[in-house]
Amino acid sequence: MTKKNKIDLDVFLIPKSGIDKTIKAFQSEMGKGLKGKDSSLKMIPTYVSRPTGNEKGDFIALDLGGTNFRILQLELKGQGRIGASKIMKFALKKKHITGSADVFFGFIADCVKSFLKENRTGSNRRTALGFTFSFPVKQKSVSSGSLVCWTKGFKVRGVIGNDVVELLRHALLKKGVTNVDVSALANDTVGTLVARSYSDRNCDIGVIIGTGTNACYPECIKNIVKLPGHAKGSGEMIINIEWGNFNKLGLTSYDIALDKASDNPGKQILEKMVSGMYLGRLAGLVLKERLKIKGEFKSEYMSVIEGDNTKNLARTEAILKKTGMTSPGMDDKKFTKNVCRIVSRRAARLSAACIAAIIKKMDLDLSRKHTVAIDGSVYEKHRTFKVDIIACLKDAFGRKSSRIKIVLAKDGSGKGAAIIAAVAAG
Ligand code: GLC
């Protein structure tokens, strides 16, 4: 029998002291970001507040943040009610996400055109369109903003530094689409928060844990020190934290190796420890130290393996075989399950620590109820994620943590963009 490498998986554990440290570091970065000081958290003002729930009308939303994107048409009925919606999904190919801005926005405009043709025959009415664009965008108003950098493997040329709403408007006109007004620009976290708060007044955090990860929350305008004078006032403004770039974290040798091999080393450190684009890669790096697996270990394998309760870990075995192992033994399968569990548990606990930091910033003593709206494939598919987040919030807040409600806000990002378009329309 070959001797297997002994691997210390404890490096992935985060004790309560580590969670407390993360909360403090996150809050300190939030404070710096709001002041416009150097910080790993961009804390982007979005020029939008939460809706009243009374917004009404017909809107279109374009929800773009990964290789699949969606176009929706929906009716806001007021009183927190959303009517029947039409939806079409499209897929971006490699040539779209690594080519020029013309090719990228031209394809999106083509898709909007086919959506309108299919769903709005005979209607010449102008409709407001909310554009969810889930990348770090420096907003100048609710309907304009320039891309700071690409994340999640996108590399379209000619977009960084440019106004993405202008690029979309231009592409739509070029394709002869003249009956939509791009009237709002939103991050997916903002869409998620806004969609849930349309019917839930306690909702004050929107989180995405999918291909990428990020969160937003409403901040008192007086605390957003870096806001230009004209935008100052009373009330609240939602801040897109861009938490994926948080970097005050203890890294294992696996995190360091993953970051080094990535196409954006030194950036999006939290994202590389939490999101679907990287979790599988990370687990794969640990597994490869002991098992003879080849090729890619996909994030989606992890939830299947973690949930494998078959007697012989048959599902785990099937996956290991897919990755090139000929006859994995019971030890190998148990080890694999353990690695997946430990890597995803750390991801959930880190997300929870950041959520706790945001809640403490808004409500130090946890004197109110808070709803945290979460969307994203990783959160949705990993049944353990929610349990781990709740357990970690309990560690941080004790019994008061029952005031925090975590909800899955499915497809919130698109709906939210339509609601923001309604808010912007006034
Ligand atoms: C990446 C993007 C961010 C987005 C998140 C989730 O982190 O930079 O804007 O919200 O992915 O899609």
Side-chain angles (χ1 to χ4, degrees):
M1 210 166 96
T2 51
K3 221 170 149 226
K4 303 261 165 80
N5 288 338
K6 205 160 164 28
I7 292 172
D8 181 11
L9 293 180
D10 286 359
V11 292
F12 284 99
L13 299 181
I14 314 178
K16 181 170 174 350
S17 58
I19 294 295
D20 291 342
K21 223 169 127 191
T22 307
I23 294 177
K24 286 212 176 85
F26 195 86
Q27 286 192 318
S28 152
E29 293 289 278
M30 284 175 92
K32 286 190 209 158
L34 286 174
K35 290 191 182 116
K37 291 190 181 159
D38 203 25
S39 166
S40 61
L41 298 179
K42 295 187 182 67
M43 305 297 284
I44 301 174
T46 62
Y47 299 87
V48 85
S49 58
R50 282 172 294 170
T52 60
N54 288 324
E55 295 76 6
K56 285 186 187 146
D58 241 338
F59 297 90
I60 291 176
L62 168 60
D63 185 6
L64 173 75
T67 42
N68 291 314
F69 75 94
R70 304 171 311 155
I71 304 177
L72 305 75
Q73 183 190 326
L74 47 99
E75 189 198 350
L76 304 179
K77 296 184 150 189
Q79 293 172 326
R81 286 176 307 129
I82 298 182
S85 51
K86 291 172 184 162
I87 180 163
M88 271 171 86
K89 292 189 181 165
F90 302 88
L92 289 164
K93 300 209 173 83
K94 195 155 181 219
K95 66 172 183 201
H96 300 125
I97 67 167
T98 57
S100 70
D102 271 357
V103 170
F104 182 68
F105 283 99
F107 177 69
I108 294 165
D110 275 335
C111 297
V112 173
K113 196 170 176 174
S114 19
F115 179 86
L116 294 173
K117 198 164 157 214
E118 190 109 338
N119 296 293
R120 293 181 73 84
T121 24
S123 164
N124 286 320
R125 236 173 348 107
R126 290 185 75 76
T127 312
L129 180 146
F131 181 24
T132 307
F133 184 72
S134 309
F135 297 95
V137 166
K138 189 161 186 284
Q139 288 194 231
K140 287 185 284 267
S141 70
V142 65
S143 59
S144 65
S146 53
L147 180 67
V148 180
C149 59
W150 284 115
T151 49
K152 298 178 281 195
F154 277 60
K155 290 187 192 124
V156 184
R157 293 186 305 276
V159 188
I160 294 177
N162 289 322
D163 187 336
V164 292
V165 172
E166 274 310 315
L167 289 168
L168 177 62
R169 277 188 191 135
H170 184 73
L172 287 170
L173 283 180
K174 226 167 141 183
K175 301 280 175 186
V177 181
T178 52
N179 54 351
V180 293
D181 285 322
V182 188
S183 53
L185 173 65
N187 185 259
D188 50 357
T189 55
V190 181
T192 301
L193 167 60
V194 164
R196 175 73 194 196
S197 46
Y198 190 61
S199 60
D200 175 352
R201 299 309 299 154
N202 294 327
C203 183
D204 52 10
I205 303 191
V207 179
I208 301 286
I209 309 174
T211 308
T213 186
N214 186 15
C216 72
Y217 74 107
E219 180 58 272
C220 298
I221 290 185
K222 65 173 173 26
N223 294 339
I224 315 173
V225 179
K226 67 180 174 186
L227 210 57
H230 70 85
K232 290 222 161 71
S234 55
E236 69 173 42
M237 186 186 285
I238 299 174
I239 295 287
N240 166 15
I241 302 176
E242 284 294 327
W243 86 10
N245 196 47
F246 181 57
N247 64 8
K248 303 288 173 274
L249 294 157
L251 304 183
T252 66
S253 57
Y254 307 103
D255 299 305
I256 295 170
L258 184 145
D259 178 49
K260 259 196 181 155
S262 72
D263 56 8
N264 53 354
K267 307 256 168 63
Q268 300 296 103
I269 299 297
L270 178 70
E271 189 151 274
K272 287 170 184 160
M273 299 164 94
V274 169
S275 83
M277 177 138 182
Y278 303 99
L279 270 191
R281 256 187 244 176
L282 194 59
L285 285 177
V286 185
L287 292 173
K288 276 179 192 156
E289 285 216 333
R290 188 170 132 170
L291 308 179
K292 288 202 168 42
I293 61 166
K294 293 182 218 115
E296 194 189 353
F297 190 79
K298 297 186 182 160
S299 293
E300 67 212 47
Y301 296 160
M302 293 174 69
S303 54
V304 179
I305 292 175
E306 276 180 74
D308 184 0
N309 291 324
T310 58
K311 206 165 134 233
N312 297 320
L313 296 180
R315 294 198 184 110
T316 308
E317 178 160 342
I319 289 177
L320 285 175
K321 284 186 171 157
K322 249 197 239 177
T323 65
M325 278 188 84
T326 35
S327 49
M330 198 58 191
D331 268 6
D332 301 331
K333 293 186 270 181
K334 281 189 181 156
F335 173 70
T336 305
K337 189 169 176 183
N338 207 10
V339 168
C340 293
R341 180 77 194 96
I342 271 176
V343 168
S344 84
R345 184 156 184 263
R346 185 185 68 162
R349 284 177 73 77
L350 285 174
S351 313
C354 301
I355 291 171
I358 303 168
I359 293 179
K360 281 196 177 188
K361 172 136 194 359
M362 293 189 288
D363 176 14
L364 186 62
D365 302 322
L366 200 53
S367 57
R368 302 192 302 271
K369 287 184 175 168
H370 300 267
T371 304
V372 183
I374 312 188
D375 197 5
S377 51
V378 171
Y379 178 77
E380 196 189 344
K381 295 201 181 118
H382 268 81
R383 258 176 281 155
T384 52
F385 237 81
K386 182 170 181 178
V387 181
D388 288 337
I389 289 181
I390 291 174
C392 187
L393 289 173
K394 201 161 181 197
D395 273 1
F397 291 107
R399 282 221 318 266
K400 279 189 179 172
S401 70
S402 62
R403 294 189 182 153
I404 307 168
K405 191 160 132 193
I406 311 274
V407 296
L408 173 68
K410 194 99 194 72
D411 299 336
S413 53
K415 287 180 195 156
I419 300 169
I420 296 170
V423 174

